[in-house]
């Protein structure tokens, strides 16, 4: 995927997609942290049984990571299908009406700020070199050689969620009974500071409010499930 001979546009695109992947990984990890923390803290409210905690946490980890992977697979497959359909249509149009397509490319380049003559010349050269690629990039905004692979996307989501989910799972089952909750709550909130910070940075958003919202969301999730677990534990359901 990373050929050293790419032109500037390809480099810009590659950087953009790397940032997108990073952002998706951070969000996936964040999901894994919050939902698994909610589960194990909720169960800890009801019981001190380590096996129950481990079972619930592990089930939550697997269910969440597989659900994320399946969702990602479906959404990227759909996107890929529509990109392939758009490329096929473009290919047919290029074959059936090359003059109209050349004019279309010229106008699109003009709209990007080139003069009529320069746009025409650029369109002619781009069409001679690789007409489909030029139309894919300028008209559709996609690179026909770098369509996202749904399996890669699914695996990345699965791994990101799993890495996030492991933190609360280990934090609740490893320490001695009295330390479980404080260790879990503190490490989860600390991790949420980190994921909130990095997702704000990668999206060029204000860091303070993003971190605060992220930590508050996690604290709320743990508070609610702990209260529900304690209630169930107390009435002996
Ligand atoms: Zn076209």
């Amino acid at each position: 995927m990373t050929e050293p001979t790419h032109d500037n546009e390809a480099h810009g695109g590659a950087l953009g997609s790397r940032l997108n992947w990073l952002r998706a990984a951070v969000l996936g990890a964040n999901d894994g942290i919050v939902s698994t923390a909610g589960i194990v803290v909720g169960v800890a409210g009801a019981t001190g049984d380590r096996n129950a905690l481990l079972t619930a946490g592990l089930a939550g980890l697997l269910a969440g990571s597989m659900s994320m992977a399946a969702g990602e697979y479906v959404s990227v497959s759909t996107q890929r299908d529509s990109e392939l359909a758009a490329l096929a249509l473009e290919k047919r149009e290029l074959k059936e009406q090359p003059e109209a397509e050349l004019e279309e490319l010229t106008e699109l380049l003009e709209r990007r700020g080139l003069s009529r003559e320069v746009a025409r010349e650029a369109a002619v050269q781009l069409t001679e070199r690789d007409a489909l690629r030029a139309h894919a990039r300028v008209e559709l905004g996609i690179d026909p050689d770098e369509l996202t692979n749904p399996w890669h996307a699914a695996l990345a989501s699965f791994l990101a969620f799993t890495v996030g989910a492991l933190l609360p799972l280990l934090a609740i089952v490893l320490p001695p009974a009295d330390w479980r909750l404080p260790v879990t709550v503190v490490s989860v909130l600390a991790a949420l500071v980190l994921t909130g910070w990095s997702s704000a940075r990668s999206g060029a958003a204000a860091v303070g409010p993003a971190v605060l919202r992220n930590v508050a969301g996690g604290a709320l999730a743990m508070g609610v499930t702990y209260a529900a677990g304690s209630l169930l534990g107390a009435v002996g359901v």
Side-chain angles (χ1 to χ4, degrees), residues 89-91 93-94 100-102 104-105 108 131 134-136 139-140:
L89 179 68
E90 202 60 41
K91 201 170 183 174
E93 286 175 350
L94 281 166
E101 285 297 305
L102 183 62
E104 180 192 51
L105 187 57
L108 287 169
H135 281 258
E139 188 183 340
L140 309 172

Side-chain angles (χ1 to χ4, degrees), residues 32-33 35-41 50-62 162-175 180 183-184 187-188:
I33 295 168
S35 63
T36 310
I39 291 171
V40 294
V41 167
R50 194 186 296 262
N51 266 335
L53 289 167
L54 182 61
T55 308
L58 203 58
L61 180 155
L62 288 171
T162 299
V163 167
L166 278 174
L167 176 84
L169 180 60
L170 295 177
I172 206 91
V173 296
L174 291 184
R180 274 176 199 154
V183 167
T184 304
S187 55
V188 162

Side-chain angles (χ1 to χ4, degrees), residues 2 31 67 78 89 96 103-104 134 148 175 213 215 226:
T2 48
D31 265 5
S67 141
T78 306
L89 179 68
E96 288 172 359
E103 176 56 28
E104 180 192 51
T148 309
R213 275 194 295 265
V215 170
Y226 183 72

